[in-house]
Amino acid sequence: MSTMTAAALTNRDRAVLRAVAAGRCNISASDNALVVDGKFFADQFAGSRLASAGLIAAATESGRALLTASGRALLGTGVPA
């Protein structure tokens, strides 16, 4: 797992993290493909990049994307996992 600083986050990454925090995303456990509002996310590498950085993870049963503690800290939210 790599680390990503807040300065390294793009505006798109921040938008994805906000969508995850809002419960609007699912993520595939096998390839980290993101689905936002029922549609595949155009940036095919965003899910893998954010998951590898330890900022998002998949809920085991539902496939819902969740912010990790690191993701919440970088986004600056108090949204629980």
Side-chain angles (χ1 to χ4, degrees), residues 10-69:
T10 66
N11 288 334
R12 181 180 299 174
D13 291 336
R14 290 176 194 280
V16 170
L17 292 177
R18 286 191 300 271
V20 169
R24 297 174 39 213
C25 299
N26 285 354
I27 188 168
S28 151
S30 61
D31 62 2
N32 293 319
L34 276 176
V35 175
V36 181
D37 295 334
K39 298 184 181 352
F40 280 102
F41 189 57
D43 181 349
Q44 64 185 359
F45 303 109
S48 293
R49 182 175 60 249
L50 296 173
S52 293
L55 302 177
I56 63 174
T60 312
E61 296 297 319
S62 68
R64 184 172 154 229
L66 303 171
L67 288 178
T68 64

